[in-house]
Amino acid sequence: MFYKGFFKRIIPFFLTFAAGLFIASLFVPLSMPNLRFPSRGSHKYREVHRLRMELNETRRENNDLKKEIRELKQNTEFGIRYSVPPVNVDAPIPPPPPRAPRAPKHDR
């Protein structure tokens, strides 16, 4: 008697659980995930290493460009002041603007 009530409650639970797993397996894989990622880690390491090398190269290039700009500013300040003679332009004076037209007189 005891076993009959037990089976009446447990069997429907297991059948429903099995049906749920079957339906879920159609949409989601139920297998255990592979926790070993050997190629993934080395790929990330190579990518990070490449990015660090690129960053260092960009910093070096940036410093070189800043140094070059600084040198050009120092060289051109002295050169522009004393190497270019002043320009004297003798241009004729422009004519004055025309007078505004007079307003018409109205007959009274």
Side-chain angles (χ1 to χ4, degrees):
M1 200 82 177
F2 174 71
Y3 294 113
K4 190 176 181 182
F6 181 74
F7 286 124
K8 281 185 179 180
R9 292 181 185 260
I10 297 297
I11 296 295
F13 171 76
F14 282 116
L15 290 175
T16 307
F17 185 73
L21 282 178
F22 175 73
I23 293 172
S25 70
L26 297 175
F27 301 105
V28 178
L30 297 178
S31 62
M32 289 294 292
N34 186 6
L35 298 178
R36 288 187 274 156
F37 301 110
S39 63
R40 184 174 174 195
S42 64
H43 176 68
K44 282 188 177 182
Y45 174 77
R46 278 184 270 141
E47 180 71 16
V48 168
H49 183 67
R50 185 187 65 79
L51 288 174
R52 283 186 181 158
M53 295 289 285
E54 186 178 335
L55 178 64
N56 289 337
E57 181 181 337
T58 307
R59 283 181 178 162
R60 260 187 264 118
E61 185 179 339
N62 193 11
N63 287 336
D64 292 343
L65 290 173
K66 283 182 181 179
K67 188 185 300 182
E68 184 180 342
I69 288 172
R70 200 175 313 118
E71 290 173 1
L72 285 173
K73 281 184 179 179
Q74 288 175 354
N75 292 339
T76 56
E77 284 178 7
F78 180 77
I80 288 177
R81 286 185 191 154
Y82 300 107
S83 67
V84 178
V87 178
N88 190 5
V89 179
D90 294 329
I93 299 174
R99 294 178 65 185
R102 297 177 87 183
K105 292 184 178 179
H106 294 287
D107 291 329
R108 290 189 186 192

